[in-house]
C-alpha cells in the first residue's frame, strides 16, 4: 500500500494550533487541503493564519514564492462536513474528549467515501475506543503529530485493535511522503513517547519531593551531565504543568494505576495553586520581569587529591581514568576487584551511582551517570551525613580538577541521571516485549519526539546490557513499592546476557 497521491484532497477538522499545523504540512507537501471547524468563521481564520505563515517562510527563503501561491490556491475552508465528501484522508484535531471524537467520525462516515482514510491526532485517548463507534473501524488510524507539526519530524502512526494493516500502512507511507519520520505503534496508553518519557519527569519530581535537590540543581544535572536539552522542571513549565500532569494522570489511569506511572503530589499542588508555568508567569520557576534566573547549587572550590587508586572496573565511567591522568592526578591501578570504585587519599571511596545509598557504607561518595564524562560540564555527588568532610572535599576537588562544576545532592539512591535513564531503558524493554513498537522505532521516537540525546536502546548498549536491571534491583530493595522493580522483559534481557557471557 502506497502513500496517498498528491492530487488526493486531505481534510483537517479542528483548526486550533495543531490542526493548522497538520494542514500546513499536507499543504506544503502538495495536497489540496480542506479546513473545517464547527465554530463558524474559524476555518477561514485558520486559512488566513496558514497563509501568513507561508508568507513568513518565503521571507526566510524556506519556500519559493511560486510554491506559496500554488499552496494558497489549494487551501480551502469548508462550510460543512459535506464539503469533505471527496477527501481521501480526514485528520481530526478536535477537543480531547472521546465522545466528541466518536460523534465526529460517525458523521464523517456518512459523508466520505468508503475508501477514505480516517485519522485521529489524539495524544491521550485510545485509538481503539475512538474507532469503536464506527461501522468500519478498520479504516481509522492514529496520526499523532508533535507540536509544532510543521517543525517537529516525528509522527506516531497508531494502530487500534481493529485498524486494518492496509490503513496503517497507507497512513505511515503518507506521513513519510510529507517529509515526516513515522514510527509504527500499537494502541497503548501514551503510545511510545508519552509512555516511555514518564520517568524523565517522575524521577526529577521524586528527588525534589525527597528533598534531595532543588529544581534548578536537578535541571542543571540533567542538562549538563545527562545531555538532555532541558531539565524536567523547566520543560514542564514550558509545556504547562496542567497539560503535563493531565498526560501523566491519563497514562496512570489507563494502566490501572500502575505504580510505575504514579503522578507527583508536588506537581498536583503546583497545578492546584494555579502556577502552571510560563503561561501564568510562575511554575517551578518565577517568570516575572524582575525575577532572576534560579541558580543550581555549585560547590565551592576544593583542593584536588594528589592521587586516586582505581579498584576494579569503573564500567560506564571508565573514561574518567583517562581524564584524571590528563588533569595531572596520579592513578594507581589496584589488582583487587572491589567493583566500580575509586579510593581517595584519606581512605574514602568514590563510586558510580548504583541504586544503593551512601549511608550503608563507610565513607562513600557516589557520583552520577554522565552521557559523556569528557564533555559533561557538571557532575553530581551524593553523600550521607556520616561521610567525612575530607572525603567530600577530595571528591569535589577531583571533579573540579577535571573542569567540572560540582553539585552536591542528598543521599538519593540512583541519584538523578542514573535512575532516570535506568527507568527509561526498563520501560522501553517492556514496550518491545508487549508489542508496542520495535527497538528502532522507540529509539527514533524518543530522540525526535522529546529530543533525548540517545534512544533507550542506544543507552542500554552503551552502558552494558545488565546495568539498568542491576541498578533498578538495588533501588527496588530500598523502595519495595514496585515503582523500581525491573520489568520481566528487562530481567530476561539481563539474565540471558549474563548466561551468555558466563558460557563464553
Amino acid at each position: 500500500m502506497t502513500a496517498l497521491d498528491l492530487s488526493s484532497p486531505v481534510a483537517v477538522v479542528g483548526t486550533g494550533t495543531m490542526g493548522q499545523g497538520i494542514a500546513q504540512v499536507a499543504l506544503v507537501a502538495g495536497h489540496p487541503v480542506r479546513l473545517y471547524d464547527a465554530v463558524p468563521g474559524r476555518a477561514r481564520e485558520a486559512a488566513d493564519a496558514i497563509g501568513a505563515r507561508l508568507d513568513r517562510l518565503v521571507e526566510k527563503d524556506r519556500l519559493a514564492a511560486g510554491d506559496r501561491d500554488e499552496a494558497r490556491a489549494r487551501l480551502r475552508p469548508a462550510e460543512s462536513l459535506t464539503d469533505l465528501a471527496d477527501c481521501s484522508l480526514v485528520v481530526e484535531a478536535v477537543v480531547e474528549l472521546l465522545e466528541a471524537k466518536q460523534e465526529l467520525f460517525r458523521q464523517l462516515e456518512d459523508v466520505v467515501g468508503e475508501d477514505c482514510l480516517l485519522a485521529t491526532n489524539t495524544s491521550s485517548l485510545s485509538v481503539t475506543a475512538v474507532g469503536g463507534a464506527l461501522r468500519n473501524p478498520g479504516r481509522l488510524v492514529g496520526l499523532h503529530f508533535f507540536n509544532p507539526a510543521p517543525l517537529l519530524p516525528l509522527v506516531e502512526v497508531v494502530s487500534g485493535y481493529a485498524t486494518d494493516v492496509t490503513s496503517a500502512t497507507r497512513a505511515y507511507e503518507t506521513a513519510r511522503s510529507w517529509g515526516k519520520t513515522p514510527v509504527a505503534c500499537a494502541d497503548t496508553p501514551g503510545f511510545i513517547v508519552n509512555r516511555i518519557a514518564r520517568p524523565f519527569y517522575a524521577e526529577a519530581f521524586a528527588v525534589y519531593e525527597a528533598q534531595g535537590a532543588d529544581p534548578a540543581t536537578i535541571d542543571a544535572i540533567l542538562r549538563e551531565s545527562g545531555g538532555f536539552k532541558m531539565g524536567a522542571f523547566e520543560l514542564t513549565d514550558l509545556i504547562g504543568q496542567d497539560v503535563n500532569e493531565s498526560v501523566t494522570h491519563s497514562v496512570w489511569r489507563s494502566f490501572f494505576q500502575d505504580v510505575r506511572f504514579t503522578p507527583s503530589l508536588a506537581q498536583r499542588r503546583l497545578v492546584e495553586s494555579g502556577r502552571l508555568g510560563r503561561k501564568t508567569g510562575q511554575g517551578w520557576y518565577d517568570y516575572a520581569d524582575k525575577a532572576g534566573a534560579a541558580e543550581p547549587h555549585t560547590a565551592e572550590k576544593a583542593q584536588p587529591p594528589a592521587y586516586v587508586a582505581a579498584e576494579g572496573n569503573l564500567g560506564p565511567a571508565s573514561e574518567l581514568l583517562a581524564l584524571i591522568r590528563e588533569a595531572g592526578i596520579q592513578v594507581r591501578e589496584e589488582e583487587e576487584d572491589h567493583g566500580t570504585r575509586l579510593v581517595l587519599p584519606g581512605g574514602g571511596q568514590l563510586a558510580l551511582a548504583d541504586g544503593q545509598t551512601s549511608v550503608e557504607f563507610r565513607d562513600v561518595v557516589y557520583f552520577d551517570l554522565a552521557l559523556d564524562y569528557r564533555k559533561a560540564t557538571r557532575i553530581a555527588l551524593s553523600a550521607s551525613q556520616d561521610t567525612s568532610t575530607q572525603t567530600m572535599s577530595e571528591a569535589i576537588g577531583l571533579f573540579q580538577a577535571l573542569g567540572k562544576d560540582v553539585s552536591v545532592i542528598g543521599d538519593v539512591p540512583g541519584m538523578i541521571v542514573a535512575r532516570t535513564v535506568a527507568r527509561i531503558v526498563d520501560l522501553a524493554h517492556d514496550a518491545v516485549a508487549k508489542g508496542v513498537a520495535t527497538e528502532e522505532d522507540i529509539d527514533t521516537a524518543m530522540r525526535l519526539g522529546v529530543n533525548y540525546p540517545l534512544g533507550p536502546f542506544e543507552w542500554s548498549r552503551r552502558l552494558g546490557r545488565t546495568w539498568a536491571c542491576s541498578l533498578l534491583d538495588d533501588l527496588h530493595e530500598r523502595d519495595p513499592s514496585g515503582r523500581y522493580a525491573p520489568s520481566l522483559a528487562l530481567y530476561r534481557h539481563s539474565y540471558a546476557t549474563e548466561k551468555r557471557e558466563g558460557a563464553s
Side-chain angles (χ1 to χ4, degrees):
M1 183 64 66
T2 58
L4 294 176
D5 188 271
L6 290 181
S7 63
S8 302
V10 171
V12 177
V13 179
T15 58
T17 301
M18 182 59 78
Q20 291 182 32
I22 296 170
Q24 181 178 327
V25 170
L27 189 65
V28 172
H31 289 274
V33 173
R34 314 278 167 74
L35 285 172
Y36 175 77
D37 197 289
V39 178
R42 285 272 180 86
R44 168 55 63 187
E45 292 173 2
D48 292 341
I50 294 171
R53 282 199 290 274
L54 295 178
D55 288 340
R56 289 195 291 273
L57 290 177
V58 172
E59 292 169 4
K60 296 177 181 179
D61 292 325
R62 296 178 183 173
L63 184 69
D67 291 338
R68 176 208 46 204
D69 295 340
E70 290 178 6
R72 277 183 161 173
R74 293 194 302 270
L75 181 61
R76 195 179 83 197
E79 297 296 327
S80 69
L81 287 179
T82 56
D83 293 338
L84 313 182
D86 64 337
C87 289
S88 297
L89 167 64
V90 180
V91 184
E92 71 79 18
V94 302
V95 63
E96 282 287 278
L97 293 174
L98 179 61
E99 295 78 9
K101 293 180 187 293
Q102 288 178 328
E103 178 58 27
L104 170 62
F105 282 119
R106 275 194 290 261
Q107 294 178 37
L108 284 169
E109 214 172 16
D110 292 333
V111 170
V112 300
E114 292 184 2
D115 60 346
C116 177
L117 185 63
L118 301 178
T120 172
N121 184 58
T122 184
S123 61
S124 61
L125 300 175
S126 162
V127 173
T128 301
V130 173
L134 298 180
R135 295 189 298 274
N136 176 18
R139 64 158 138 178
L140 183 102
V141 64
L143 274 179
H144 181 217
F145 289 77
F146 288 75
N147 196 27
L151 297 180
L152 295 185
L154 184 69
V155 178
E156 291 177 319
V157 181
V158 186
S159 293
Y161 186 78
T163 302
D164 292 335
V165 173
T166 54
S167 299
T169 302
R170 171 159 283 185
Y172 184 98
E173 294 300 333
T174 297
R176 187 159 64 177
S177 74
W178 291 356
K180 295 301 181 182
T181 303
V183 291
C185 176
D187 185 21
T188 184
F191 309 143
I192 298 174
V193 172
N194 281 328
R195 172 179 178 152
I196 295 174
R198 291 348 296 161
F200 179 74
Y201 313 108
E203 293 312 306
F205 298 161
V207 172
Y208 169 75
E209 290 175 343
Q211 300 186 54
D214 60 276
T217 299
I218 296 170
D219 278 353
I221 292 165
L222 286 168
R223 289 193 313 269
E224 299 173 40
S225 184
F228 294 95
K229 297 298 182 183
M230 299 181 74
F233 296 90
E234 58 186 336
L235 180 55
T236 52
D237 267 358
L238 178 64
I239 295 169
Q241 298 302 330
D242 52 340
V243 174
N244 181 262
E245 192 206 30
S246 176
V247 173
T248 299
H249 270 268
S250 175
V251 173
W252 177 60
R253 288 192 301 267
S254 297
F255 277 113
F256 308 106
Q257 300 185 359
D258 187 329
V259 69
R260 295 176 301 167
F261 301 101
T262 301
S264 162
L265 180 59
Q267 188 181 40
R268 174 91 292 261
R269 293 291 179 258
L270 206 65
V271 172
E272 289 174 338
S273 71
R275 299 181 177 186
L276 307 182
R278 288 183 177 272
K279 62 186 176 184
T280 61
Q282 190 165 11
W284 295 111
Y285 300 110
D286 188 349
Y287 298 95
D289 291 339
K290 296 182 180 179
E295 296 294 332
H297 166 77
T298 302
E300 296 291 333
K301 189 69 175 176
Q303 190 69 25
Y307 69 90
V308 295
E311 293 187 348
N313 183 356
L314 287 180
S318 59
E319 186 180 21
L320 280 176
L321 295 181
L323 297 180
I324 293 170
R325 290 189 179 97
E326 290 169 16
I329 299 172
Q330 182 185 5
V331 177
R332 299 177 180 176
E333 301 276 2
E334 303 288 346
E335 292 186 3
E336 296 93 342
D337 188 354
H338 292 180
T340 56
R341 296 177 187 267
L342 294 172
V343 180
L344 299 165
Q349 298 183 21
L350 261 174
L352 176 62
D354 59 6
Q356 301 182 85
T357 57
S358 180
V359 75
E360 300 170 54
F361 305 97
R362 186 187 68 81
D363 219 14
V364 168
V365 173
Y366 278 104
F367 63 93
D368 207 351
L369 180 69
L371 172 68
D372 184 328
Y373 282 99
R374 184 173 293 275
K375 295 180 180 178
T377 57
R378 183 177 299 272
I379 293 293
L381 301 180
S382 173
S384 74
Q385 66 272 20
D386 297 328
T387 303
S388 73
T389 302
Q390 180 181 355
T391 296
M392 178 53 73
S393 179
E394 290 177 343
I396 292 171
L398 174 65
F399 282 103
Q400 288 175 339
L402 307 186
K404 318 299 183 187
D405 287 328
V406 175
S407 292
V408 179
I409 70 171
D411 191 11
V412 177
M415 301 192 68
I416 296 170
V417 179
R419 71 196 287 177
T420 299
V421 170
R423 288 208 59 216
I424 289 171
V425 167
D426 181 53
L427 290 187
H429 277 278
D430 184 54
V432 170
K434 292 177 178 173
V436 173
T438 65
E439 291 186 9
E440 181 181 3
D441 276 356
I442 287 175
D443 276 354
T444 297
M446 302 313 290
R447 279 189 279 101
L448 298 183
V450 278
N451 212 11
Y452 284 3
L454 294 175
F457 294 97
E458 292 172 315
W459 271 112
S460 186
R461 287 188 290 272
R462 175 180 289 201
L463 297 169
R465 296 175 70 182
T466 64
W467 176 85
C469 189
S470 176
L471 186 141
L472 290 174
D473 259 335
D474 282 337
L475 269 169
H476 178 56
E477 185 177 336
R478 284 146 189 83
D479 178 0
S481 64
R483 178 188 182 104
Y484 300 104
S487 66
L488 182 59
L490 185 65
Y491 176 79
R492 282 174 170 159
H493 178 78
S494 176
Y495 185 73
T497 300
E498 289 183 341
K499 292 284 283 186
R500 285 195 298 271
E501 291 175 351
S504 62

